[in-house]
Amino acid sequence: MSHPIYLTKSDLKTARSCSTKLYYKKLGYPTVDRVDSYTRILSDGNFIISKIAHLLYPEGIYISANFSSQENINHAVQETINYLQQENVVLFEPVFYSQHKLARADILVKQGDRLEIIEIKSKAFDSSAHEDLIKYRNLSLFRNKRTGKVGGEWRHIIEDVSYQVGILQEMLAEHLPNLEVVISPYLIVPDKAKTTSIDNLASYFQIQRLSTHRNSLSKFNGIKVNFTGDIEQIHQDQFLTKVSIAAEVDELIEPTIASAQKYINYLIERSTQIFAPISKSCKGCEYRASDRDSRDGFKECWGDLADEEFHVLDLYQMGRIGGNDTPLVNELIQQKKVSMFDVPLDELNDYTYSYRQLIQIEYTQKNKEWISEHLPKIMQEIEYPIHFIDFETSRMAIPYRAGRQPYEQVAFQWSCHTISEPDAPPVQTEWLDLDNNFPNFQFAESLMECLGDRGTILTWATHENSVLRDIYYQMQAYDYQNPELQTWLANTAKLNHKGGHKGKSTLVDMNALTLKYYFHPLMKGRTSLKCVLPAVWKTNSYLHEIPWFKEYFRDVDGEILSPYDVLSELQIGDRTYVVNEGAGAMLAYQDLMYGESRELCLHNPEMRSQWQELLYQYCRLDTMAMVIIWTHWHNLCSNANSH
């Protein structure tokens, strides 16, 4: 039996980013960023927000369905239609279908002749700012401040709801033509202008993995969310906001439905118009081959051009060459000139980016590392002891404690490697809290004790500064009394003017130093720690012999692995885990705090210690990675000075 042709909300979003991706998606091509339902909802906190929203409607009825055949779709649609003939009803995940357009709403509330479509989102919303824009500027958070039209970061969400409303209108006109109702669309979102009154709210929720049906459109496909708290408290709590988007949806229904119909026609007619021209936007294409599936959407689009060794897509800020309106890189791609060496050097005239682009092209051609003539002097000016620090943090959609707001920064782990003097071995210190739902002040106090006020603190990018700044203002917001800590934070982090004390930072950003003063051909156009470390490590064998780096060396069939690829996997329960990037650390923490691992670890200290080791070894490597790069820079600068 052939699968039905339909266009869902996520299909439409995919098509609008690139219509060719819709073709690959419908054929089930592999993607490099595919994550399971558990990981996705754990990462954005949506499981708790959605569960709370459902708890607000205890009379709600779930419409369960999968979409493997037109018959199944028709059954779910008919069930939804049957319920809508009642005077009053609340439906969870009702199914709307009309002319190949398919959607599931989060909540549908019918009260007489009024229908509310409610979309639940874990995206942060600020009702105070929203109301001010409406009152004083006749705008809203959903509108572009310059044009007044629906736009910005909320547009795709409102397009989703517009698609639902448009399909529902068509479905009612076809199946219930005598039903006269007014459809009112809303969002339910966590409100940063509000706080919760429930302490340790997240502890009352837990998610479980269940069996999964691949054709389900439910956001909780394969997931069960349990709530063990007091439902009456949920009803009285106020940190979620229900906000009308009626005017915005009215503006977008017609173009959204028209756009959807265009893509549906492509699918039905198998039109070649579905294939979009290749461009600079292809750089982030997720349709790449996997270990299980060799189909590669990117290569099918690009053909032989995908195999260019020194690709123009790898050039730093390649999209800005020639301006944002008509990027030169797109003209080169259409001419099948996709080597970075095809870029006319006289076009690299943007002061902000051109120097880095020219360095990348020159030293990629030479296949050599580059250091700026200024780097040795900067290195000499760094005062010892040198502290290399890295933080792991989490932002949850729900407040961590009573009286706190959604999406507050929570810092749960830090690692530090300290070099006390030139040529001294790095000494590692670390801190991790898996017990306190809001550990920020203890985090900062332990860090202050480790770092003191001597020497230089090195970070990679600006995250650590942002965390320390947030903690500084959290101390004021929650009246946390520690004058020494407050002074230390003010003198350590760069603060904005909010508190009237800007401070002079002692943090040095190694990512910024890399961008200005260092290049390695294997980095291509990137400067993240995960790109710089492998480039340095794989091509400088002397580093492998330094005693405190040896544990990270591994050669597999002649290939030197990145240190991040040699981190130990641990068998925890019936699954094997490894944490080797920041998102993984955040998910591991949230799983321990609120996920299915929480209860298991409460009764199994050994399992808890295994999770702790996974988090320790990753954060530890992040700061050791900085030490490795610093050591190499020191070596390069010493050689430069000797010549």
Side-chain angles (χ1 to χ4, degrees):
M1 181 186 297
S2 61
H3 289 293
I5 293 176
Y6 55 75
L7 195 80
T8 67
K9 291 185 297 180
S10 64
D11 290 338
L12 180 57
K13 184 178 179 181
T14 297
R16 285 187 149 175
S17 69
C18 170
S19 55
T20 313
K21 289 182 182 180
L22 175 62
Y23 171 80
Y24 293 138
K25 181 180 180 185
K26 287 299 185 181
L27 291 177
Y29 273 50
T31 59
V32 294
D33 63 346
R34 182 173 290 161
V35 294
D36 60 41
S37 300
Y38 177 79
T39 299
R40 184 182 297 111
I41 67 171
L42 187 66
S43 66
D44 63 15
N46 208 24
F47 70 103
I48 294 182
I49 299 300
S50 293
K51 184 66 175 181
I52 292 174
H54 285 174
L55 290 172
L56 297 176
Y57 296 90
E59 69 277 27
I61 302 167
Y62 281 92
I63 303 295
S64 60
N66 70 71
F67 303 103
S68 57
S69 70
Q70 189 66 50
E71 182 181 0
N72 288 331
I73 292 174
N74 292 342
H75 178 77
V77 170
Q78 191 58 52
E79 188 177 8
T80 300
I81 290 169
N82 291 342
Y83 277 117
L84 286 178
Q85 295 177 65
Q86 297 182 13
E87 181 71 11
N88 300 307
V89 70
V90 176
L91 301 178
F92 296 154
E93 301 193 0
V95 180
F96 307 151
Y97 179 82
S98 175
Q99 301 297 314
H100 302 284
K101 299 183 290 291
L102 178 65
R104 298 195 79 153
D106 287 336
I107 302 176
L108 185 66
V109 180
K110 182 174 186 287
Q111 292 180 316
D113 62 355
R114 178 179 171 83
L115 272 179
E116 292 185 357
I117 287 184
I118 301 172
E119 181 80 356
I120 307 166
K121 287 296 178 184
S122 57
K123 182 176 174 57
F125 178 76
D126 188 329
S127 61
S128 178
H130 181 68
E131 290 163 6
D132 283 349
L133 283 169
I134 293 172
K135 182 177 180 180
Y136 298 112
R137 299 185 59 182
N138 199 28
L139 290 170
S140 74
L141 285 182
F142 308 132
R143 296 185 176 276
N144 183 289
K145 293 180 181 179
R146 183 173 57 84
T147 65
K149 297 184 179 298
V150 179
E153 57 188 7
W154 290 92
R155 183 181 174 95
H156 75 275
I157 293 174
I158 296 173
E159 284 176 339
D160 275 0
V161 182
S162 301
Y163 193 48
Q164 295 171 44
V165 172
I167 300 171
L168 179 59
Q169 288 174 339
E170 292 181 10
M171 188 177 81
L172 292 177
E174 179 182 355
H175 295 281
L176 298 172
N178 296 322
L179 182 66
E180 296 184 4
V181 292
V182 175
I183 301 174
S184 302
Y186 291 88
L187 298 178
I188 284 184
V189 283
D191 192 341
K192 293 176 68 176
K194 298 180 179 179
T195 61
T196 183
S197 60
I198 306 172
D199 205 29
N200 295 322
L201 176 58
S203 67
Y204 299 112
F205 296 86
Q206 189 174 22
I207 59 177
Q208 295 176 291
R209 301 183 219 223
L210 305 173
S211 60
T212 303
H213 195 293
R214 69 182 182 88
N215 289 308
S216 172
L217 296 183
S218 170
K219 69 171 68 176
F220 293 123
N221 185 25
I223 300 297
K224 181 180 179 182
V225 185
N226 297 313
F227 175 69
T228 60
D230 184 345
I231 292 181
E232 186 58 35
Q233 278 192 307
I234 292 292
H235 280 264
Q236 294 175 1
D237 205 28
Q238 297 294 323
F239 85 92
L240 294 185
T241 284
K242 180 181 173 186
V243 55
S244 172
I245 51 172
E248 289 77 14
V249 166
D250 282 346
E251 185 177 312
L252 294 187
I253 284 182
E254 186 175 337
T256 300
I257 295 296
S259 178
Q261 192 59 56
K262 177 180 69 174
Y263 298 121
I264 289 168
N265 292 342
Y266 288 166
L267 293 173
I268 293 174
E269 298 166 7
R270 300 187 178 183
S271 170
T272 56
Q273 289 181 280
I274 200 170
F275 299 110
I278 57 175
S279 71
K280 70 182 182 72
S281 301
C282 298
K283 179 175 181 176
C285 180
E286 66 272 25
Y287 285 89
R288 311 284 180 133
S290 69
D291 293 338
R292 298 179 180 178
D293 192 333
S294 61
R295 292 178 297 173
D296 192 309
F298 178 81
K299 285 191 174 182
E300 287 189 27
C301 284
W302 284 70
D304 293 341
L305 299 180
D307 299 322
E308 170 59 50
E309 182 179 4
F310 305 110
H311 214 288
V312 69
L313 295 182
D314 291 326
L315 183 63
Y316 174 72
Q317 293 289 346
M318 54 84 192
R320 301 194 180 256
I321 303 171
N324 289 328
D325 295 332
T326 56
L328 174 64
V329 67
N330 282 348
E331 295 179 23
L332 294 173
I333 290 169
Q334 294 309 310
Q335 297 168 19
K336 298 189 175 182
K337 296 178 179 179
V338 297
S339 168
M340 69 174 67
F341 306 139
D342 291 328
V343 177
L345 299 185
D346 58 0
E347 291 284 350
L348 302 181
N349 51 19
D350 186 301
Y351 177 79
T352 307
Y353 309 109
S354 59
Y355 184 67
R356 183 73 183 180
Q357 291 167 338
L358 290 166
I359 289 292
Q360 182 179 350
I361 291 172
E362 177 182 353
Y363 283 85
T364 299
Q365 283 180 315
K366 292 178 178 178
N367 194 28
K368 288 177 57 179
E369 286 179 287
W370 168 80
I371 61 166
S372 164
E373 60 184 4
H374 302 294
L375 186 59
K377 183 174 185 295
I378 290 171
M379 297 278 288
Q380 289 173 357
E381 291 175 349
I382 297 292
E383 295 182 6
Y384 287 84
I386 304 174
H387 307 286
F388 303 84
I389 64 169
D390 177 71
F391 300 166
E392 303 302 334
T393 62
S394 170
R395 286 186 186 269
M396 282 286 286
I398 62 165
Y400 288 82
R401 302 295 296 269
R404 294 204 159 100
Q405 301 166 324
Y407 283 106
E408 285 199 85
Q409 181 97 259
V410 170
F412 62 87
Q413 181 179 14
W414 59 258
S415 173
C416 175
H417 274 91
T418 298
I419 300 177
S420 59
E421 58 188 15
D423 300 322
V427 176
Q428 202 258 342
T429 313
E430 57 194 359
W431 186 91
L432 173 65
D433 189 311
L434 295 179
D435 299 313
N436 190 326
N437 280 339
F438 196 77
N440 288 17
F441 304 135
Q442 292 79 13
F443 170 99
E445 287 165 345
S446 62
L447 185 69
M448 176 180 68
E449 184 178 345
C450 172
L451 302 182
D453 55 9
R454 293 179 53 248
T456 310
I457 305 169
L458 270 61
T459 66
W460 201 278
T462 59
H463 177 61
E464 283 67 28
N465 184 85
S466 298
V467 174
L468 295 178
R469 182 189 62 219
D470 285 354
I471 295 175
Y472 175 85
Y473 291 119
Q474 285 169 339
M475 289 185 68
Q476 298 178 12
Y478 301 121
D479 195 27
Y480 186 79
Q481 298 299 317
N482 186 333
E484 182 185 5
L485 177 62
Q486 191 164 13
T487 300
W488 182 82
L489 288 170
N491 292 330
T492 301
K494 289 181 181 177
L495 307 178
N496 56 28
H497 294 287
K498 179 179 174 182
H501 188 331
K502 186 171 177 58
K504 181 180 179 182
S505 174
T506 57
L507 304 180
V508 176
D509 180 358
M510 288 183 68
N511 181 69
L513 294 180
T514 300
L515 196 55
K516 290 182 180 179
Y517 306 122
Y518 177 72
F519 174 75
H520 191 296
L522 292 182
M523 291 162 43
K524 299 183 179 180
R526 298 165 294 181
T527 59
S528 73
L529 190 57
K530 304 299 185 298
C531 294
V532 179
L533 175 65
V536 168
W537 183 253
K538 293 181 179 184
T539 55
N540 293 282
S541 57
Y542 77 92
L543 292 169
H544 310 155
E545 302 302 318
I546 296 176
W548 38 90
F549 300 155
K550 278 188 174 182
E551 66 176 290
Y552 297 111
F553 176 73
R554 188 175 303 167
D555 185 317
V556 176
D557 299 327
E559 180 187 359
I560 298 170
L561 299 185
S562 165
Y564 287 100
D565 293 331
V566 305
L567 290 176
S568 300
E569 294 183 346
L570 289 181
Q571 180 76 27
I572 304 178
D574 60 354
R575 295 189 178 96
T576 300
Y577 297 88
V578 63
V579 174
N580 55 15
E581 38 83 33
M586 180 192 71
L587 288 170
Y589 171 73
Q590 292 185 354
D591 197 12
L592 282 167
M593 292 287 101
Y594 324 110
E596 63 182 1
S597 295
R598 181 184 65 194
E599 291 299 320
L600 295 173
C601 289
L602 284 176
H603 306 291
N604 190 330
E606 181 182 355
M607 182 180 290
R608 186 177 179 83
S609 67
Q610 287 177 302
W611 274 110
Q612 288 175 328
E613 180 52 33
L614 278 176
L615 288 166
Y616 273 136
Q617 70 173 8
Y618 167 69
C619 195
R620 193 181 298 145
L621 174 54
D622 265 353
T623 49
M624 184 61 90
M626 295 160 66
V627 175
I628 292 171
I629 294 166
W630 179 266
T631 301
H632 182 57
W633 286 359
H634 196 275
N635 184 59
L636 290 176
C637 291
S638 297
N639 291 339
N641 288 332
S642 65
H643 291 93

